[in-house]
Amino acid sequence: DATHSPMFHQLEAFLIDEVLRPLIAADGGEIQLVSVTEARLIVKLTGTCAGCPGRPYTLSGVVERAARKYLSPTIQVDTED
């Protein structure tokens, strides 16, 4: 299973800590990793992201796009509220 490989965990940490967190923090939001598999990434958005009307775009246009670039081209992104 690729999700248990050291390389996958390095990419997962890079994606959240170096790519997504700074982008989301720039608008006053915060992202936390809840769980990840090769097929699905679950994150929690807090701060200004929690009630933002642009949240669906953030998930599909930012988080999912980056996850597909760094983790898997077919990964789906969901949120935990």
Side-chain angles (χ1 to χ4, degrees):
D1 184 356
T3 59
H4 296 296
S5 75
M7 178 60 114
F8 190 86
H9 287 293
Q10 288 175 346
L11 289 172
E12 163 194 315
F14 177 79
L15 171 68
I16 297 294
D17 297 335
E18 304 297 327
V19 177
L20 295 173
R21 187 164 284 129
L23 288 172
I24 292 172
D27 287 330
E30 174 62 39
I31 186 169
Q32 299 167 340
L33 176 66
V34 175
S35 69
V36 65
T37 66
E38 197 168 326
R40 190 167 178 226
L41 173 70
I42 301 175
V43 296
K44 185 171 185 175
L45 296 174
T46 57
T48 57
C49 290
C52 179
R55 185 177 178 171
Y57 171 76
T58 300
L59 287 172
S60 66
V62 178
V63 178
E64 191 169 82
R65 177 182 249 165
R68 288 181 173 178
K69 178 179 179 180
Y70 291 101
L71 300 179
S72 169
T74 58
I75 199 164
Q76 299 296 311
V77 174
D78 292 306
T79 59
E80 178 182 89
D81 295 322

